[in-house]
Amino acid sequence: MVFSSLLFLFRFLPLALLAYYAAPRKWRNLILFLFSLVFYAWGEPVYVVLILFSTLTDYTAGRMVSYFNGQGNRKYARMAVFFSVCVNLALLGFFKYADFFLQTVSSIFSIDIPALELALPIGISFYTFQTMSYTIDVYRGDAKVQKNFIAFGAYVALFPQLIAGPIIRYKTVAEQMDCRRETVDLFFRGIIRFTAGLGKKVLLANQTGMLWSQIAAYSADNLTTAAAWTGIIAFTFQIYFDFSGYSDMAIGLGYLFGFSFTENFDYPYESKSITEFWRRWHISLGTWFKEYVYIPLGGNRKGMARQMCNIGIVWLLTGLWHGAYWNFVLWGVYYGILLVLEKFVWGRVLKRLPAWVSHVYTMLIVMIGWSLFSWQDMRDSAAYMHALFFHARAGIADRQAVYLLLSNALLFLIAAAGSVSLCKRTAVRYLGNGDEVLSGQNGGLKKRGFGKGSWRIRNDAAGIVFMTAVLAASLAMLVNSSYNPFLYFRF
């Protein structure tokens, strides 16, 4: 089940909200826990056992860490953390990387080892990182131990961010798990944020995704350079609006249930360097690797050589985190090398260049990276890359490529506008801030007067109409189209 589905929007979510708000406050974590397990079981019932096992393991490990820390026995506390990390990584490694390892061994030694062909548990990369961070934070003293198993289970299985993040560290929501307060203001903020994310996903990600799928299906003999660049531009928009839209929906759903999740995207396509790009893209994953891998390895405290090595390790792991294929490994290495070069070689030069030059440089690097990321078969990736750099067998352009580019030019322009902050700033200025309008912040509709107030009322009303139109268009698209993939399901 995905958020951008009629089943979720008209059945699961209304039932979850009704049960949640009808229940006494002390039962609300239980309601969330149960509905989250149902949400997870809808796609893979058998793997509910896996997420429950992971939850119980880390709950127990956290209690052990807290107990031994209280006794001043740091050795046994470290052993409990080590146990938690080993169990979590073993589960992740077995279900996600077993076949990758077997296939690699088979190819190296020219032997035939049958693949296990295990279905990948949805969201395992996300909730595994969350549960590991919990025990580590309890050991460090950054978070208090959660003694209520239901509350901890609700944190691990919380359906708004279970299958695709953001990766929520326990210390971020520890207080909210026990004493959050749901308000009308927060609820309406959630509606606005969820609607914006749904529009990103359905109206932009799905449309650019259909174009990418069409071009990706071309054979190497029929792929022109113009078609290849049109396709990778489409994928660049698809993956951004797909993932950032899902993050917006997750944050919006969090508001509906009284939670405030951390932001996961900050207009990364405005970046003027690769370093800046990765501070803005998938922020929760970058923060996790920084806090739990890069800094413990020594960060930038032990000299240039060690820092370069640490960056390389982090990006190798980042590539592997995204999937058990060699293209993801190469993608991670690609960015690791670029980040090292920016930090130690040409970073200062970039800062002196005109902003538009730095921006073009960054987006070209990012799109080349997406051409690696988008293929699981390295031969397909190599053929596509070959076409990108004006060595296409079919030539630079043909009538079909020109038609695809021109017929999707408006879609690209709208997607480009939606991927930068200028669009949001303009909407807030001329349509009003939806959060403020619906929640009544800064006066809302009821407290606005005449003159300038009347202008604000018209703007705010226009904002409500606009968001209603986005919701209506998204629902109409979901009813009429069967194309509704979610890229991060495979991670």
Side-chain angles (χ1 to χ4, degrees):
M1 191 188 309
V2 294
F3 297 160
S4 55
S5 67
L6 298 176
L7 173 65
F8 178 83
L9 293 170
F10 291 105
R11 296 185 183 180
F12 181 86
L13 183 57
L15 284 175
L17 287 169
L18 180 63
Y20 181 83
Y21 281 100
R25 187 169 297 279
K26 64 180 180 180
W27 290 0
R28 288 183 177 177
N29 280 339
L30 176 61
I31 296 296
L32 270 181
F33 188 30
L34 294 176
F35 269 90
S36 295
L37 293 178
V38 171
F39 177 84
Y40 193 76
W42 199 270
E44 296 178 340
V46 67
Y47 284 142
V48 169
V49 176
L50 186 65
I51 195 171
L52 287 173
F53 175 76
S54 183
T55 302
L56 181 60
T57 297
D58 288 284
Y59 171 78
T60 304
R63 295 294 300 269
M64 292 170 63
V65 169
S66 178
Y67 173 78
F68 289 126
N69 274 345
Q71 297 294 315
N73 194 333
R74 298 286 282 178
K75 176 182 178 181
Y76 284 115
R78 282 194 297 271
M79 290 175 63
V81 173
F82 182 73
F83 168 75
S84 167
V85 170
C86 286
V87 170
N88 280 290
L89 292 181
L91 291 174
L92 182 62
F94 179 71
F95 284 98
K96 190 166 184 175
Y97 302 106
D99 281 348
F100 176 64
F101 174 77
L102 293 176
Q103 291 168 6
T104 301
V105 171
S106 296
S107 62
I108 291 174
F109 297 102
S110 300
I111 55 178
D112 184 18
I113 304 177
L116 300 178
E117 297 183 353
L118 296 170
L120 179 65
I122 295 172
I124 189 171
S125 297
F126 291 93
Y127 72 72
T128 297
F129 273 29
Q130 289 191 178
T131 54
M132 280 196 298
S133 69
Y134 165 73
T135 52
I136 294 170
D137 286 343
V138 171
Y139 173 77
R140 292 175 174 177
D142 292 337
K144 293 182 179 180
V145 67
Q146 176 56 261
K147 296 182 179 180
N148 186 314
F149 178 77
I150 297 299
F152 183 71
Y155 157 71
V156 176
L158 196 60
F159 76 84
Q161 50 79 57
L162 173 61
I163 61 175
I167 299 172
I168 306 298
R169 290 174 293 169
Y170 182 76
K171 64 183 181 181
T172 305
V173 295
E175 186 176 349
Q176 298 175 44
M177 294 308 305
D178 295 324
C179 55
R180 64 187 175 277
R181 285 292 179 267
E182 304 84 356
T183 65
V184 174
D185 290 355
L186 206 59
F187 192 91
F188 282 117
R189 284 182 66 190
I191 292 175
I192 291 293
R193 191 63 181 270
F194 183 88
T195 302
L198 184 66
K200 281 184 177 182
K201 172 72 181 77
V202 177
L203 303 179
L204 294 175
N206 286 1
Q207 305 314 306
T208 52
M210 283 191 286
L211 176 58
W212 161 247
S213 297
Q214 180 181 350
I215 293 175
Y218 284 13
S219 67
D221 291 332
N222 296 325
L223 184 64
T224 63
T225 296
W229 278 104
T230 301
I232 207 58
I233 291 171
F235 183 81
T236 297
F237 287 129
Q238 181 194 11
I239 195 167
Y240 171 70
F241 287 113
D242 194 76
F243 196 15
S244 71
Y246 203 98
S247 292
D248 286 342
M249 287 188 279
I251 291 169
L253 288 172
Y255 287 152
L256 297 183
F257 294 97
F259 292 95
S260 293
F261 297 153
T262 53
E263 294 294 334
N264 211 23
F265 288 86
D266 182 21
Y267 299 103
Y269 290 164
E270 289 185 339
S271 302
K272 298 177 182 64
S273 70
I274 298 303
T275 302
E276 182 186 356
F277 175 81
W278 281 107
R279 290 193 187 119
R280 292 167 170 256
W281 180 281
H282 205 343
I283 298 169
S284 61
L285 179 66
T287 302
W288 197 97
F289 273 113
K290 179 182 177 182
E291 293 267 345
Y292 301 106
V293 180
Y294 181 71
I295 292 176
L297 285 174
N300 56 4
R301 304 186 305 273
K302 297 186 178 182
M304 181 185 298
R306 181 66 176 272
Q307 186 179 1
M308 292 171 65
C309 180
N310 293 342
I311 292 173
I313 291 171
V314 165
W315 279 95
L316 177 63
L317 294 176
T318 301
L320 277 171
W321 181 88
H322 280 86
Y325 296 95
W326 280 108
N327 69 305
F328 293 122
V329 176
L330 291 177
W331 179 79
V333 171
Y334 168 79
Y335 274 114
I337 292 171
L338 285 167
L339 288 166
V340 167
L341 290 174
E342 276 195 2
K343 188 168 189 66
F344 297 108
V345 181
W346 60 62
R348 292 182 181 179
V349 176
L350 270 178
K351 293 178 181 178
R352 297 172 183 170
L353 293 173
W356 71 269
V357 175
S358 299
H359 181 68
V360 169
Y361 150 82
T362 302
M363 288 309 301
L364 283 174
I365 293 295
V366 168
M367 285 191 286
I368 292 169
W370 289 142
S371 68
L372 266 176
F373 187 92
S374 57
W375 299 95
Q376 294 181 358
D377 190 311
M378 290 305 301
R379 289 171 296 185
D380 292 335
S381 179
Y384 200 89
M385 197 81 73
H386 195 261
L388 282 176
F389 291 101
F390 303 98
H391 296 289
R393 298 176 188 173
I396 294 178
D398 59 11
R399 295 179 66 179
Q400 178 67 11
V402 172
Y403 169 77
L404 286 175
L405 182 59
L406 293 179
S407 61
N408 288 280
L410 179 60
L411 174 62
F412 282 170
L413 288 173
I414 294 172
S419 65
V420 296
S421 58
L422 177 63
C423 183
K424 180 179 180 180
R425 294 197 304 269
T426 303
V428 169
R429 181 176 180 182
Y430 293 105
L431 298 179
N433 186 331
D435 287 359
E436 293 180 1
V437 174
L438 290 179
S439 68
Q441 295 178 29
N442 296 335
L445 288 175
K446 294 182 179 179
K447 298 182 181 179
R448 303 288 172 85
F450 297 96
K452 291 184 179 179
S454 299
W455 173 255
R456 289 302 306 165
I457 289 176
R458 288 195 295 272
N459 285 1
D460 293 344
I464 294 175
V465 171
F466 176 75
M467 294 308 296
T468 303
V470 169
L471 178 60
S474 300
L475 294 177
M477 195 71 71
L478 288 175
V479 169
N480 293 321
S481 176
S482 60
Y483 183 85
N484 190 30
F486 178 54
L487 298 179
Y488 269 70
F489 252 153
R490 58 178 173 169
F491 307 136

